Structures are given as structure tokens and as C-alpha cells.
Amino acid sequence: MKGFSEKIETVQEYYFSAKLREVNQMIADGKPVINLGIGSPDLGPDKRVIEALKNTAENPHAHGYQSYQGIPELRIAFAEFYSREYGVSLQPDKEILPLMGSKEGIMHLSMTFLNPGDEVLIPNPGYPTYASVTNLLGAKPVFYSIDLSKKGRPELESIEKNDLSKVKLMWINFPHMPTGATGSEQILHELVTFAKKHDIVLLSDNPYSHILTKKPLSILSIPGANEIALELNSLSKTFNMPGWRIGMLAGRADWLQKVLKVKSNMDSGMFLGLQKGAIAALGLGKSWFEDLDELYQNRRKLVWKLADKLGLSYSQESSGLFVWCKVPEGKTAEQIVDYLLYEKNIFVTPGKIFGSEGENHIRISLCMPEFKILEAINRIK
């Protein structure tokens, strides 16, 4: 054998892929591990979503290959969702591309735009996949800081002190993962102006926009954004459907056509039953989001109590599926993470996996029933 691609050496196995093997082995060994580390909603979709899937699966003609662009009804449902929730008008046949999850979309987008040597602005802390995909393609991650005292505003003044001539893409993410910084319309306006000034494509990764937010935001609602921005969205967090792998990309029609060239060579169309279920989810009313909001608010209050017991500090103004905590002076995040896992059988995530700015921080997930969070609290003496 002549060896593997050199590019594989630029990335490590995704943290949760490796860590969950250890956690699952502990569970198999009889350890009562409470998983507060991963952001996978523990509740199921609405019953109407399941019915749509079941009814379609029972149709013998529903099991063939599907269009790479999804059925027209799904694109229309996405367009209606964007109009209703974000005030954004999209052409279903040109400005929406369904995806098998938004994580796959990160790869599709990066392959569409990047050449070796190009540079990509990536938030620090931030979702590790942005940097991993950039490295795999031979491009260069350039990390930027965000100001948590200003709703996660990127430190644009610091960014502009650098040579930006090779920067082609900039990843943004509000509500921000892992910190929960909410962002704002003002920040999005500034980002659109910044991207236009420096001829940079803004890529908005927006899966948390309906989790503990007062007003969902979309970069595409900002005047002029349709010229320089694309947005990824997902049904995973919003509708408790992470395993369904249903996402979408929205924005400029000519750019979406380029992404489709990549996608059509990488995967296929979604199973029709999944698409029908997605349509049902996208049509759910305000009560769905109100119930979800109440559930996560109650869980978050308990996670705050857990954090208090551990002496961690956190913001009560954040959104999303996690509580981002700073460890007290004199301790390290690794010490607390290991103490919780190996002595208390509670799994939380060390902030350092999200970048250097995550050092001495811990991320705690809200994706666990209240009685389990209470049990975790009771294990801490």
C-alpha cells in the first residue's frame, strides 16, 4: 500500500466521535453516565411529522431516487418558513437547496469556493468543523475573536489590521455555538458592510435560531446581504430531528448552482418520506416553538444551578442549546471535566475543543430531561 492522503494528517477525529466511544463503554460497563456533553435533542418530532414519514413509506412508489434539489413542495415549505419566521423572501426554485444536514453543507460550500492557499475567517471559539474542512481542502483557517460583552460581535477592528487579500470566506454563527452569544441585527449589518468592503463571502450557519431566542435572525434579512451571503439552516435543533439529516442552503441563485455541481457528485436526493416529514415540521405553528422555549428555559435554570454548585460563571443572556461556563481561578477545565466524568459519571464538554479562546471554559448541554439534570445536581456535594 502506498499510504494515505497527506490531507488526512491535517485533521483529527471529531472530538465527540472519539469521546462518545469512551462514554458508551462506561455505560456498557455499568456506569450511570449522564450525558450533558452533546447537543442532540432528546425529544422526538411532532406526531404529524412521524405520520407524514409513515404514510409516505407505505407507498411502494416512494422508494426510488429523488431529485438532488428536493421535491418542489419541500423548497416551497422552506421558502414559506423563511418568510414567516425571518421576513425573508426566497424563490423556491432558485434560492433554496435542500441538503442532507447542514454539516454536509459546510463541506459542499467549502469545496465550491476554496482553492489551496485561500484563507477563511473562523470564529474562536467556534464549531471545529469549519477549520477541519478548511484544512482538508488545503486552505488556511484564520481565527477571529468575538466580544461576548457585545452579543458575540466579531472584533472587526482587529481583523482589519491583518492582510485580508487572500480571505475568501467568513463563517458566522448566531446564536453562536458554543457560547450562546445572541448576535443582533446591528452586528449583521456591520458584517454585510465588512464583507462587501473586503470582497468576502459571508457564510451564516444558523441552526440554533429558534432555541431560546426572542426574535430569530437571518443574515438574508439584512439589505444587501443577498449579494454576498449564503445561509445554512437545519431541522435538527428546531424540530428535534438531528438523525433525519435535513438541512438547507439559501441565497444567491448563481452560487447555489455552483454548490449543486459539488453536491450532485457527492450525494443523492433525500428519501421522499424524510422530505414529507420535513414539510410537516416546517408547517408547525407558533405553539411548537413556545412549548420548546418553555422546556429549554426550565432545563437551563437547572443547568445554572449545576454550574453554581461547581463554582462556574456564565451569562444569563445567551441563547441556543448550551450553557457556556468559565471555570474559577485556580482550577482548569480539564480538572473539572475529568472530576465530573470519572468521579460523578457526568459528561460535559471542555471548551478547548472549540479553539484557544475556549480554554478554561466548559460547555453544558440542555439536551437531557429535567430529572436527569436534577440527578446530576444531587451528585455534586
Side-chain angles (χ1 to χ4, degrees):
M1 181 177 173
K2 296 182 179 180
F4 299 101
S5 167
E6 293 178 0
K7 291 185 175 65
I8 203 68
E9 299 303 323
T10 68
V11 296
Q12 296 178 329
E13 182 182 9
Y14 190 48
Y15 173 81
F16 290 109
S17 173
K19 196 63 179 180
L20 287 179
R21 280 201 300 273
E22 179 183 1
V23 171
N24 290 334
Q25 185 59 54
M26 291 177 67
I27 294 172
D29 292 340
K31 301 290 178 65
V33 178
I34 297 174
N35 187 347
L36 294 174
I38 195 165
S40 178
D42 57 304
L43 299 173
D46 186 88
K47 62 181 180 180
R48 286 162 285 190
V49 176
I50 304 298
E51 284 300 314
L53 171 64
K54 288 168 57 178
N55 292 339
T56 308
E58 289 171 355
N59 181 345
H61 301 293
H63 300 277
Y65 286 119
Q66 297 296 317
S67 166
Y68 293 100
Q69 296 172 280
I71 59 175
E73 297 94 322
L74 177 57
R75 298 196 301 274
I76 290 170
F78 272 123
E80 291 175 345
F81 179 78
Y82 257 71
S83 176
R84 184 174 68 249
E85 298 297 325
Y86 304 111
V88 173
S89 178
L90 296 169
Q91 299 180 63
D93 57 334
K94 296 180 180 179
E95 296 177 321
I96 293 173
L97 179 62
L99 302 170
M100 291 181 172
S102 59
K103 188 175 184 180
E104 289 82 349
I106 295 170
M107 174 62 87
H108 294 333
L109 281 164
S110 299
M111 292 182 71
T112 299
F113 283 101
L114 294 178
N115 293 309
D118 286 340
E119 296 181 355
V120 182
L121 290 170
I122 295 171
N124 180 13
Y127 187 33
T129 298
Y130 304 145
S132 298
V133 170
T134 300
N135 284 323
L136 280 170
L137 296 175
K140 179 184 176 182
V142 177
F143 297 99
Y144 67 85
S145 298
I146 62 173
D147 189 339
L148 295 182
S149 69
K150 297 180 180 178
K151 300 182 178 181
R153 179 186 180 273
E155 296 184 354
L156 299 177
E157 294 77 14
S158 296
I159 296 172
E160 288 192 306
K161 292 178 182 177
N162 301 312
D163 177 10
L164 301 179
S165 60
K166 293 183 179 180
V167 174
K168 189 174 283 186
L169 306 177
M170 180 178 187
W171 285 102
I172 62 173
N173 170 223
F174 297 111
H176 178 257
M177 201 292 295
T179 70
T182 60
S184 68
E185 286 190 12
Q186 177 59 36
I187 292 172
L188 296 183
H189 276 284
E190 290 186 68
L191 284 165
V192 168
T193 300
F194 171 84
K196 286 185 175 182
K197 177 181 177 181
H198 297 286
D199 191 26
I200 294 171
V201 178
L202 275 180
L203 299 179
S204 171
D205 186 19
N206 199 22
Y208 297 97
S209 58
H210 283 78
I211 307 298
L212 294 173
T213 57
K214 295 178 181 178
K215 181 184 178 183
L217 294 174
S218 167
I219 189 69
L220 299 177
S221 69
I222 305 302
N226 60 341
E227 301 169 27
I228 47 84
L230 294 172
E231 182 157 277
L232 287 168
N233 216 321
S234 167
L235 273 63
S236 295
K237 323 296 183 183
T238 307
F239 297 107
N240 298 336
M241 299 166 68
W244 291 53
R245 309 312 305 140
I246 299 173
M248 59 90 76
L249 177 65
R252 281 181 54 164
D254 56 335
W255 287 359
L256 261 60
Q257 282 299 311
K258 300 294 187 183
V259 177
L260 180 60
K261 287 179 68 175
V262 172
K263 172 180 165 56
S264 62
N265 281 285
M266 298 282 290
D267 59 30
S268 299
M270 279 181 277
F271 170 52
L272 184 60
L274 298 179
Q275 297 189 62
K276 292 290 189 178
I279 292 168
L282 290 164
L284 294 175
K286 289 291 184 185
S287 62
W288 169 262
F289 300 114
E290 291 168 355
D291 291 346
L292 204 62
D293 189 76
E294 181 179 1
L295 179 142
Y296 283 128
Q297 282 195 48
N298 292 335
R299 292 182 178 187
R300 186 170 61 178
K301 289 174 184 175
L302 291 177
V303 168
W304 288 343
K305 289 183 178 181
L306 175 64
D308 290 339
K309 273 206 162 189
L310 293 166
L312 307 173
S313 57
Y314 51 87
S315 169
Q316 294 191 3
E317 302 300 320
S318 62
S319 299
L321 274 180
F322 310 100
V323 175
W324 182 247
C325 303
K326 187 172 183 178
V327 304
E329 292 290 333
K331 293 187 177 181
T332 68
E334 288 73 19
Q335 287 174 334
I336 295 176
V337 169
D338 287 348
Y339 160 75
L340 289 174
L341 181 58
Y342 301 120
E343 296 189 35
K344 301 300 180 181
N345 292 314
I346 301 167
F347 173 47
V348 298
T349 305
K352 69 177 184 179
I353 73 167
F354 303 107
S356 61
E357 296 290 333
E359 288 284 351
N360 295 321
H361 288 79
I362 289 169
R363 192 193 74 174
I364 306 176
S365 170
L366 305 180
C367 298
M368 191 59 65
E370 288 181 40
F371 77 92
K372 283 290 187 181
I373 304 174
L374 281 168
E375 183 180 339
I377 292 171
N378 290 332
R379 290 183 189 179
I380 309 298
K381 303 299 183 184

